[in-house]
Amino acid sequence: MQQDITNKLTSSLTSNPITGAGLLLLLTLLAALYAARRPRPIYLLDFSCFKPEKQYKVTRETFMKQFKSKGTFTVESVAFQRRMLERSGIGQATYLPESLLGTPINMCSASAVKEASMVVFGAVDELMAATGVRVKDIAVLVVNCSIYNPTPSLAAMVVNHYKLRGNIRSYSLAGMGCSAGLVSVDLAKRLLQVHRDSYALVVSTENMTLNAYFGNDRSMLVSNSLFRMGAAAILLSNRRSDRRRSKYQLIHSVRTHTGASPRSYSCVSQEEDSSGLVGISLSKDLMSVAAAALRSNITTLGPLILPLSQQLRFLLAFLSSRLHKSRSSSTPAAGNFVPDFRKAAEHLCVHAGGRAVLDELERSMGMSEWHMEPSRMTLYRFGNTSSSSLWYELAYTEAKGRVRKGDRVWQIAFGSGFKCNSAVWRALRTVAVGGEIRTNPWVGEIHDFPVDVPKEVPVAC
């Protein structure tokens, strides 16, 4: 029958050229419409993580000594910060800006600009040198920094420094917390669906100069022990010709916002303490709020990345628990089935927000120490660098020579609001350890890791 249809169609086109031309035109238009509406693949050419010079390196003891020198903490606040630092999972080689290491501590606008320029330009310079892309070819720029929101904006600062083109689509994202890096990637992805044959530069950072807290509210003191200086720059492309030289392709990006709940909305907030000093307050509800946001995010992402067998087991467990619940007030163990998320991706990068966050994620998702290693070592070596931490973690995975062609990388980040965002990448090639040295902050010391991180390390101060 198919042969008969083909013969009749051929005969019709041969006997009636006008009809044939019209049909050919229609098919061409339909093909063009399909190509235009088909989502463009988004490639990650390369990324760079800024590594400060040695003079910015700080030990736990130096941190305590320097912050105590401000003279504003009570004895109780000093003891509390020391306990937090001892249990933080942070090592002896993180980084702080010159403004917080000098005597006296100099928290001013000029110092904040100096820090931002150093980390942002440092990361972008390395990235552009590694990729060879001309700055004039960048059509989209997204810069995110949660606390520091100057005028002109950080995006304008980048445009001015690199003399980017006048019609660039530039955005500065502020107040979105540690998950803003993936928000920026998602925004860049959407813009690249509109602008053909374009490059997008994404820069993620935080500013320590204006982020330190020198009051005595315990809910605000926790962040002092965790946050450190850093930045990352990422170059994305929608040019199909860039596929051959790109590292990854973006497969999925899922954003979850639970801010409609007052409890979620207020669990991380910038506010004044009773003495009028501004700090970031972390609520005791933070862990439970983050867990709820993660569950919501995974509910959307899970069907996209989990094997069918895991999805079916989860569905059966869910239906079983619902059926049992209708007959009894208790819920069976089947209702507590947790999918094997280790089968969802070969590599996991969870925002290095703190030891407690990583411990909870490892337990609730059933992840192995190997999967959590990049996050734990990043926290130990660089501290919580806010939205850029995910890229230090991926750099760790690359430096270890673990990324093979076809591997999937799952990034998970949390942020104020409250948000949980995910991105899943597929490696387009095996990342060579020796040839990717310019943009990787772990080169030269990766052989020292992983290290054992005790639950608690005494800090003399």
Side-chain angles (χ1 to χ4, degrees), residues 281-304:
S281 176
L282 304 180
S283 166
K284 294 180 179 179
D285 295 329
L286 178 58
M287 293 303 297
S288 58
V289 165
L294 176 63
R295 285 195 297 270
S296 179
N297 187 268
I298 288 177
T299 299
T300 303
L301 183 64
L304 301 176

Short mmCIF file of all heavy atoms in Angstrom, two decimals, residues 281-304:
data_model
loop_
_atom_site.label_atom_id
_atom_site.label_comp_id
_atom_site.label_asym_id
_atom_site.label_seq_id
_atom_site.Cartn_x
_atom_site.Cartn_y
_atom_site.Cartn_z
N SER A 281 20.13 37.03 58.54
CA SER A 281 19.54 36.20 59.59
C SER A 281 19.13 34.85 59.02
O SER A 281 18.43 34.78 58.00
CB SER A 281 18.32 36.90 60.19
OG SER A 281 17.69 36.07 61.16
N LEU A 282 19.59 33.77 59.65
CA LEU A 282 19.25 32.41 59.25
C LEU A 282 18.30 31.81 60.28
O LEU A 282 18.65 31.67 61.45
CB LEU A 282 20.51 31.55 59.13
CG LEU A 282 21.60 32.07 58.18
CD1 LEU A 282 22.79 31.11 58.18
CD2 LEU A 282 21.06 32.26 56.77
N SER A 283 17.11 31.46 59.85
CA SER A 283 16.10 30.93 60.75
C SER A 283 16.40 29.48 61.12
O SER A 283 17.06 28.74 60.40
CB SER A 283 14.72 31.01 60.08
OG SER A 283 13.77 30.24 60.76
N LYS A 284 15.88 29.05 62.27
CA LYS A 284 16.00 27.66 62.69
C LYS A 284 15.21 26.73 61.77
O LYS A 284 15.41 25.51 61.78
CB LYS A 284 15.53 27.50 64.14
CG LYS A 284 16.42 28.21 65.16
CD LYS A 284 15.91 28.01 66.56
CE LYS A 284 16.81 28.71 67.59
NZ LYS A 284 16.31 28.53 68.98
N ASP A 285 14.30 27.31 60.99
CA ASP A 285 13.49 26.51 60.07
C ASP A 285 14.21 26.23 58.76
O ASP A 285 13.65 25.57 57.88
CB ASP A 285 12.17 27.24 59.75
CG ASP A 285 11.28 27.39 60.97
OD1 ASP A 285 11.34 26.50 61.84
OD2 ASP A 285 10.53 28.38 61.05
N LEU A 286 15.43 26.73 58.60
CA LEU A 286 16.11 26.68 57.32
C LEU A 286 16.22 25.26 56.76
O LEU A 286 15.93 25.02 55.58
CB LEU A 286 17.51 27.30 57.44
CG LEU A 286 18.38 27.28 56.18
CD1 LEU A 286 17.68 28.01 55.04
CD2 LEU A 286 19.74 27.91 56.46
N MET A 287 16.63 24.31 57.59
CA MET A 287 16.84 22.95 57.10
C MET A 287 15.53 22.31 56.63
O MET A 287 15.50 21.67 55.58
CB MET A 287 17.50 22.10 58.18
CG MET A 287 18.92 22.51 58.53
SD MET A 287 20.03 22.51 57.12
CE MET A 287 19.98 20.79 56.68
N SER A 288 14.47 22.47 57.39
CA SER A 288 13.20 21.87 57.00
C SER A 288 12.62 22.56 55.77
O SER A 288 12.02 21.91 54.90
CB SER A 288 12.19 21.94 58.16
OG SER A 288 11.98 23.28 58.58
N VAL A 289 12.82 23.88 55.66
CA VAL A 289 12.36 24.61 54.48
C VAL A 289 13.12 24.15 53.24
O VAL A 289 12.54 23.94 52.18
CB VAL A 289 12.53 26.13 54.70
CG1 VAL A 289 12.40 26.89 53.38
CG2 VAL A 289 11.50 26.65 55.70
N ALA A 290 14.44 23.99 53.39
CA ALA A 290 15.27 23.53 52.26
C ALA A 290 14.85 22.13 51.83
O ALA A 290 14.80 21.83 50.63
CB ALA A 290 16.74 23.56 52.66
N ALA A 291 14.56 21.26 52.80
CA ALA A 291 14.15 19.89 52.48
C ALA A 291 12.84 19.88 51.70
O ALA A 291 12.69 19.14 50.73
CB ALA A 291 14.01 19.08 53.76
N ALA A 292 11.90 20.74 52.11
CA ALA A 292 10.62 20.81 51.41
C ALA A 292 10.78 21.35 49.99
O ALA A 292 10.17 20.85 49.04
CB ALA A 292 9.65 21.70 52.20
N ALA A 293 11.65 22.36 49.84
CA ALA A 293 11.90 22.92 48.51
C ALA A 293 12.58 21.90 47.60
O ALA A 293 12.28 21.81 46.41
CB ALA A 293 12.76 24.18 48.63
N LEU A 294 13.50 21.11 48.17
CA LEU A 294 14.18 20.08 47.40
C LEU A 294 13.20 19.01 46.93
O LEU A 294 13.25 18.58 45.78
CB LEU A 294 15.30 19.44 48.23
CG LEU A 294 16.05 18.28 47.57
CD1 LEU A 294 16.79 18.76 46.33
CD2 LEU A 294 17.03 17.65 48.55
N ARG A 295 12.30 18.60 47.82
CA ARG A 295 11.29 17.59 47.43
C ARG A 295 10.45 18.10 46.27
O ARG A 295 10.16 17.36 45.32
CB ARG A 295 10.41 17.24 48.63
CG ARG A 295 11.08 16.36 49.66
CD ARG A 295 10.06 15.76 50.61
NE ARG A 295 9.38 16.80 51.38
CZ ARG A 295 9.81 17.25 52.56
NH1 ARG A 295 10.93 16.76 53.08
NH2 ARG A 295 9.14 18.18 53.22
N SER A 296 10.06 19.36 46.34
CA SER A 296 9.25 19.94 45.27
C SER A 296 10.03 19.99 43.96
O SER A 296 9.50 19.69 42.89
CB SER A 296 8.80 21.35 45.67
OG SER A 296 8.04 21.96 44.66
N ASN A 297 11.30 20.36 44.04
CA ASN A 297 12.13 20.44 42.85
C ASN A 297 12.33 19.06 42.22
O ASN A 297 12.23 18.89 41.00
CB ASN A 297 13.48 21.06 43.20
CG ASN A 297 14.35 21.34 42.00
OD1 ASN A 297 15.17 20.53 41.60
ND2 ASN A 297 14.18 22.52 41.40
N ILE A 298 12.58 18.06 43.07
CA ILE A 298 12.82 16.71 42.57
C ILE A 298 11.54 16.12 41.97
O ILE A 298 11.60 15.32 41.03
CB ILE A 298 13.35 15.83 43.71
CG1 ILE A 298 14.79 16.23 44.05
CG2 ILE A 298 13.29 14.36 43.34
CD1 ILE A 298 15.39 15.46 45.21
N THR A 299 10.39 16.51 42.50
CA THR A 299 9.12 16.02 41.95
C THR A 299 9.00 16.39 40.47
O THR A 299 8.49 15.61 39.66
CB THR A 299 7.94 16.61 42.73
OG1 THR A 299 8.02 16.20 44.10
CG2 THR A 299 6.62 16.14 42.15
N THR A 300 9.49 17.58 40.12
CA THR A 300 9.46 18.02 38.73
C THR A 300 10.60 17.41 37.92
O THR A 300 10.41 16.95 36.79
CB THR A 300 9.54 19.55 38.64
OG1 THR A 300 8.46 20.13 39.39
CG2 THR A 300 9.47 20.03 37.21
N LEU A 301 11.80 17.41 38.51
CA LEU A 301 12.98 16.95 37.78
C LEU A 301 13.09 15.44 37.70
O LEU A 301 13.57 14.90 36.70
CB LEU A 301 14.24 17.52 38.44
CG LEU A 301 15.58 17.21 37.77
CD1 LEU A 301 15.64 17.83 36.37
CD2 LEU A 301 16.74 17.69 38.62
N GLY A 302 12.63 14.74 38.75
CA GLY A 302 12.80 13.29 38.83
C GLY A 302 12.35 12.54 37.59
O GLY A 302 13.11 11.71 37.05
N PRO A 303 11.12 12.78 37.10
CA PRO A 303 10.68 12.04 35.91
C PRO A 303 11.53 12.30 34.67
O PRO A 303 11.52 11.50 33.73
CB PRO A 303 9.25 12.58 35.69
CG PRO A 303 8.81 13.03 37.05
CD PRO A 303 10.05 13.59 37.69
N LEU A 304 12.29 13.37 34.67
CA LEU A 304 13.13 13.71 33.52
C LEU A 304 14.47 12.99 33.54
O LEU A 304 15.09 12.80 32.49
CB LEU A 304 13.37 15.22 33.46
CG LEU A 304 12.13 16.11 33.36
CD1 LEU A 304 12.53 17.58 33.43
CD2 LEU A 304 11.36 15.83 32.08
#
